[in-house]
Amino acid sequence: MEKELSFEEALAEIEQILRQLENKNLELERAIELYERGLFLIHFCEEKLKKAKAKVEVIFKDEKGFKLENLERASKILKDGN
Amino acid sequence: MGQQFEYQLNQPIEGLERSYFTVKELTQRVKKLVEEGFSLLWVEGEISNLRHAQNRNLYFNLTEEEASIKAIIFNDQKDREIVSYLQNGLKVLCWGKLNFYPKTGEVYLIVRRIELLGNGYIEFKKQQLIKKYQHLFAPDRKKSIPSFPKKIAVITSIFSAALQDFLKIASERWEIEVLVYPSRVQGEGSEKEIVQAIKDINLHFYDVDVIFITRGGGSAEDLAPFNTEEIILGISESKIPVVSAVGHEIDYTLCDMIADKRCPTPSAAAQEVIPDKHKWLEKLEHYKKKYKQFLDIILSKKQNKLYQIQLALTERSPFNLLHSLEKDLKQKFYRLNVLLNEVIAYKERKVLNQKISLRRYHPAETLQREFDRLQNYRRRLELSFENYFQFCESRMNSLKSLLASLSPLNILERGYSIVRKLETKKVVRSIEEVQVDEVLEVKLSKGSLLVKVLKTEE
């Protein structure tokens, strides 16, 4: 199985397919093949977008290095003066 | 003079000897008072009525609310760098000496040194730094911001409204990892924390796609850390693109200017840099429509081609040829018929004419005609004879009756008689023809007499 496609890669392919479909003299079989692939990619992107959400973490630095905390805990830690 | 020049206010002036200054004396006295009364001094005020004179001296008023004093910076005393930043409304601290000009009775502050205060100073410092690091501000040094960042870092105060505003926009917008690097964003030394944060992110979180430095608006003093040399160097050294959203919408900090992208507010930064999934869902919908549209075009084109071929095929069908030949044949047949009929009619007419003229020359016809003529002549001849006989007969009859009427016998019948000589039978019409005793024949109606002439009488 091919590796998980990124949104950007999918989008690039969607746009490339669009450019190809612009050619009115395309073979019908090829056009349909591209159309189906394009719809598949659009669907893939839509699914990805629907789930899209930001993940927020806070960087803490100490002598040992860096660690990440979620925002709520980080606020608490900072408020309590470490 | 040299007496008492000054009077008490409550002292009546009438009746007193009047001692007075001349203007020159007074101005000299004032000049002395002013110029000796004040040594070199510092004066703080706001610049107004600033003008560059033709003699290249700089004139302005130093004002504070309603109070004002005139000031001059002589051309040779000018600190050119600062002078170019001077403008009306700017707060300055001037060092110089007061001078009284007797000619106009005006006091001037002769400025030897001028320092900028407040915003003016900040602006001046900013301009100096921009000049110093001009090459770092060049537009072609700016790194491009990736269109689809996956991981971003935000350097700001964790309790700031700026961070809240930023996260509010960012959270539902895109599949993205946001790392918040807490840092002071105002107060002395905060620029060092910010620069350290940039360095740390570059070194330890190198998969970060964009660094945001943000805080809300504030006073010029609040924003001072963002107008420092450290900030310029720190941001310009970052390998990761930096977006700055610091300060006011109109005032640009050096941080804004050196950053690869500047946004007016934290929210705007999130909106402009982080892609919007709703917008992209719409765009995908648009792509879908476009796909359909293009496919439809291709399909209709193929359909059209098919139709064209069908048309061409129909055109070239053998039946078509057959139909056309048949049609042609029918037409020719019809025309032939018409022509034939015309020819036949023509010939018929000709034959008829010839028949008619032939009949005229038929011998029987001639014979008959001649016979008719002969008959005619005969009739006419017969008729002529008849007529002639009749004519003759009628003439004879008429002559007969005329003869009858003229016959002497008839006259005799009525009693007349004819006398004729006996020998010659000549009718005697006169006495001279006869002689006495001559015998004459008298013819009567019935019989005749022989008579002798006895006498002649006239």
Side-chain angles (χ1 to χ4, degrees), chain A residues 14-25:
Chain A
I14 287 169
E15 281 168 350
Q16 197 209 343
I17 287 172
L18 194 69
R19 278 194 297 277
Q20 280 177 276
L21 278 177
E22 259 180 289
N23 174 12
K24 296 184 192 93
N25 300 317

Side-chain angles (χ1 to χ4, degrees), chain A residues 15-77:
Chain A
E15 281 168 350
Q16 197 209 343
I17 287 172
L18 194 69
R19 278 194 297 277
Q20 280 177 276
L21 278 177
E22 259 180 289
N23 174 12
K24 296 184 192 93
N25 300 317
L26 207 64
E27 290 281 324
L28 192 61
E29 287 76 9
R30 179 73 183 134
I32 291 170
E33 200 179 291
L34 284 170
Y35 179 74
E36 280 173 349
R37 173 71 179 159
L39 282 193
F40 166 79
L41 289 168
I42 288 174
H43 182 71
F44 167 82
C45 285
E46 281 174 342
E47 286 306 302
K48 226 174 161 65
L49 284 181
K50 278 176 195 159
K51 285 186 279 180
K53 232 180 144 99
K55 180 183 162 204
V56 184
E57 282 176 306
V58 180
I59 299 172
F60 276 99
K61 187 183 182 184
D62 55 23
E63 313 79 50
K64 287 179 227 153
F66 298 92
K67 66 176 181 187
L68 297 176
E69 285 289 356
N70 71 43
L71 189 60
E72 207 177 313
R73 259 185 64 83
S75 305
K76 202 159 178 282
I77 293 167

Side-chain angles (χ1 to χ4, degrees), chain B residues 42-58:
Chain B
W42 286 100
V43 186
E44 189 197 302
E46 207 169 89
I47 295 178
S48 72
N49 206 16
L50 179 75
R51 63 198 190 278
H52 296 263
Q54 275 189 340
N55 56 19
R56 305 174 76 92
N57 295 342
L58 199 64

Side-chain angles (χ1 to χ4, degrees), chain B residues 224-339:
Chain B
F226 296 93
N227 283 321
T228 55
E229 196 164 3
E230 286 87 343
I231 280 287
I232 295 176
L233 295 173
I235 291 176
S236 68
E237 276 164 19
S238 174
K239 299 268 182 298
I240 302 168
V242 175
V243 175
S244 163
V246 173
H248 304 289
E249 300 213 0
I250 20 172
D251 275 347
Y252 279 46
T253 61
L254 290 180
C255 178
D256 287 330
M257 292 162 82
I258 195 77
D260 299 299
K261 183 178 171 64
R262 186 260 173 179
C263 299
T265 61
S267 315
Q271 274 161 358
E272 285 177 35
V273 176
I274 303 169
D276 177 10
K277 67 176 170 188
H278 297 292
K279 202 187 92 195
W280 275 100
L281 281 169
E282 271 172 36
K283 205 158 180 181
L284 288 171
E285 204 55 45
H286 169 76
Y287 279 140
K288 247 192 253 181
K289 274 191 197 138
K290 277 267 174 210
Y291 275 2
K292 175 103 183 40
Q293 207 177 323
F294 286 147
L295 192 70
D296 282 349
I297 289 171
I298 293 171
L299 271 174
S300 73
K301 204 178 157 162
K302 302 286 177 205
Q303 256 171 355
N304 195 23
K305 204 168 169 185
L306 206 65
Y307 177 69
Q308 295 288 339
I309 290 169
Q310 197 184 352
L311 221 63
L313 215 62
T314 320
E315 255 172 45
R316 283 172 211 175
S317 156
F319 288 110
N320 254 3
L321 186 69
L322 224 58
H323 286 316
S324 124
L325 284 176
E326 197 182 341
K327 203 171 146 192
D328 202 31
L329 210 64
K330 269 184 186 164
Q331 253 175 10
K332 281 181 176 157
F333 178 71
Y334 173 75
R335 279 197 55 205
L336 209 64
N337 246 346
V338 169
L339 278 174

Side-chain angles (χ1 to χ4, degrees), chain B residues 75-134:
Chain B
N75 187 30
D76 56 351
Q77 301 275 325
K78 278 200 294 199
D79 176 344
R80 303 211 178 276
E81 204 171 3
I82 286 187
V83 161
S84 63
Y85 286 102
L86 295 184
Q87 53 181 328
N88 290 328
L90 213 62
K91 254 194 175 153
V92 287
L93 191 60
C94 296
W95 187 73
K97 205 170 169 351
L98 284 178
N99 246 12
F100 179 79
Y101 284 79
K103 227 176 181 175
T104 55
E106 286 176 314
V107 177
Y108 278 89
L109 177 67
I110 309 299
V111 180
R112 300 208 181 148
R113 189 174 160 177
I114 186 163
E115 283 178 9
L116 301 163
L117 292 175
N119 288 347
Y121 173 73
I122 292 167
E123 193 52 34
F124 174 65
K125 281 300 219 190
K126 259 169 82 175
Q127 294 306 327
Q128 273 187 323
L129 285 171
I130 290 171
K131 210 180 235 174
K132 185 174 176 187
Y133 293 109
Q134 207 168 12

